Amino acid sequence: MELKEKIVSSYVAFENGKNINSDVHEIRSKALQNFEKLGFPTKKLEAWKYTSLNSVLKEDYSIFPKAEKAVELADVKKYFIHDIDSYKIVFIDGKYSSFLSNTTHDGKDICLLSSALSKPKYKAVIENYFNKVAKEDNMTSLNTAFASEGAYIYIPKNVEVEKPIQIINFTTGTEAATMLQPRNLIIAERNAHVQIIERHQSLTDAPVLTNSVTEIYVDTHANVDYYKIQNDKVNASLVDNTYIEQQKESNCSVHTFSFGGNITRNNLNFFQKGEHINSVLKGVTIIEGKQHVDHHTLVHHIEPNCESHQDYKGIYGERSTGVFNGKVIVEKEAQKTNAYQQNNNVLISDKATINAKPQLEIFADDVKCSHGCTIGQLDDQALFYMQQRGIPKKEANALLMYAFANTVLESVNIPEVKQRITKLIAQKLGVNIGFDL
């Protein structure tokens, strides 16, 4: 049985086992019908031109992992940003781990989507926000059809969350191959502030496919600071779909660090629904072997006097492949828009590949929009200069690549995250340099 048929046939059993309100049931049913019609994306679709899921979809995935495996903190502590105090929402094979988590309902809700989907006290919020900004494309529809668990974060107006929130999804390999569908819903009301760190981590050598959807709503004057750390095993693939709706005078930034995994596809979408909004999208990719990372971004400028800043850096070794497709749409009413997009790539192997496609669709005439894309190699003159001053070639290479990535790292607002990313970059480059950028 093909994976699509297996998924569709298992839907009825899935729905029967869930306690949800009728509105959510209707949303799920429509999403399944949409996925049944669309199927999995192929390279025939323009948006998937450079990324094929065929090799991943051949596995016989368990759709609902049943066996549970205990995970000790000592075994997974290294995957947390453990040197800061934080809230934690942890899932093991798609199921909530109360032992590893630290949640709260004290003045804010940092808890589980399963509770929000089933309990009457959350009904109004779910009706207003759940599945309202997510698209109806292939992978998002698949996730929506089976959306049952993930993080639910609701920050009321004027509340500044005093410490970051970590969302971590572990896979243990209790099945021969596992497919997970985490769904996160994050709402920051007027003048709320929150910082979030997200990670998907396989603890097994068995194949894993994660199809994640996150919806984020940023109300007037609110501030959301989001970090995605992607450094998984080569048997793990990730399709990460993030949809963000911002209201006037809000700020939202997303930093994506892609260092590991088999196939990683990041779909990051911003929709600006008011004036004086600022959206920041930044990323660093460092991969090797036959790894594949595809960044698809969209910023939709709908109202005037808004800004967006995109800055993506990629370092590709061996036979790895990178994709960057950045799209900016400026509607006719969105005058005085300032949209910046930059994508710079370094190929450190003759066999590495990068496919870059910046896109601007501008229907307004009083705007400042720029985009740039570079593909090259490290500066031989700079390497020679550093070696002349006693720096070994390997360390000199690493220093140049640190400097290359620094425009992304310098805007990371959590020092411990910055330190962790710096260490991960050093590991990827095979050096030990004792400084923080």
Side-chain angles (χ1 to χ4, degrees), residues 130-374:
F130 180 72
N131 205 51
K132 290 297 189 289
V133 69
K135 290 181 183 175
E136 295 183 348
D137 63 15
N138 316 57
M139 301 304 285
T140 302
S141 293
L142 171 57
N143 178 283
T144 301
F146 291 91
S148 62
E149 192 59 288
Y152 173 77
I153 299 170
Y154 179 83
I155 314 301
K157 64 181 181 180
N158 300 323
V159 171
E160 182 171 350
V161 183
E162 72 281 9
K163 55 188 178 183
I165 303 166
Q166 298 193 59
I167 305 170
I168 303 188
N169 291 272
F170 290 114
T171 313
T172 63
T174 55
E175 309 284 349
T178 304
M179 185 175 188
L180 298 175
Q181 312 260 13
R183 180 72 171 234
N184 304 316
L185 179 59
I186 298 159
I187 301 134
E189 291 281 18
R190 184 185 181 92
N191 205 34
H193 293 245
V194 64
Q195 293 179 313
I196 299 169
I197 305 157
E198 178 190 78
R199 183 162 188 163
H200 301 271
Q201 186 62 50
S202 175
L203 307 175
T204 174
D205 291 327
V208 177
L209 173 58
T210 301
N211 177 39
S212 175
V213 172
T214 299
E215 293 182 283
I216 303 173
Y217 296 86
V218 192
D219 206 347
T220 304
H221 289 292
N223 191 316
V224 174
D225 194 17
Y226 207 102
Y227 301 92
K228 295 175 180 285
I229 301 175
Q230 300 169 346
N231 189 34
D232 216 336
K233 294 191 174 187
V234 292
N235 55 289
S237 294
L238 170 67
V239 179
D240 187 75
N241 309 280
T242 303
Y243 301 94
I244 300 168
E245 182 179 294
Q246 291 182 253
Q247 299 299 325
K248 66 179 183 178
E249 299 175 358
S250 64
N251 289 277
C252 183
S253 64
V254 177
H255 290 70
T256 305
F257 299 100
S258 302
F259 301 142
N262 177 19
I263 294 174
T264 303
R265 166 72 177 233
N266 290 301
N267 298 316
L268 180 57
N269 306 274
F270 277 75
F271 302 95
Q272 297 186 337
K273 298 281 186 78
E275 293 192 46
H276 304 289
I277 289 170
N278 186 35
S279 305
V280 176
L281 306 77
K282 293 192 175 188
V284 175
T285 300
I286 306 176
I287 54 174
E288 59 195 352
K290 293 182 179 179
Q291 293 176 316
H292 180 106
V293 171
D294 181 347
H295 292 287
H296 251 66
T297 68
L298 166 68
V299 180
H300 195 168
H301 290 271
I302 301 166
E303 301 285 346
N305 301 304
C306 294
E307 296 189 14
S308 66
H309 300 270
Q310 298 188 57
D311 188 6
Y312 280 78
K313 304 293 175 97
I315 300 171
Y316 301 95
E318 299 176 351
R319 294 177 176 272
S320 63
T321 304
V323 181
F324 176 79
N325 188 320
K327 190 173 189 179
V328 177
I329 302 173
V330 183
E331 297 291 355
K332 186 177 180 181
E333 296 78 13
Q335 304 293 347
K336 304 292 183 184
T337 289
N338 182 6
Y340 169 85
Q341 183 190 97
Q342 187 69 33
N343 172 229
N344 303 107
N345 305 284
V346 172
L347 302 180
I348 55 177
S349 163
D350 292 339
K351 292 175 179 166
T353 306
I354 174 70
N355 300 289
K357 186 183 175 185
Q359 293 176 270
L360 296 178
E361 295 183 13
I362 303 170
F363 303 100
D365 51 20
D366 185 9
V367 299
K368 256 199 254 184
C369 294
S370 65
H371 68 84
C373 176
T374 62

Side-chain angles (χ1 to χ4, degrees), residues 375-396:
I375 300 170
Q377 296 174 321
L378 292 176
D379 187 340
D380 287 336
Q381 280 190 323
L383 276 173
F384 177 76
Y385 177 86
M386 294 169 77
Q387 286 177 269
Q388 289 296 300
R389 276 143 187 81
I391 301 174
K393 186 175 181 180
K394 189 175 182 181
E395 280 70 20

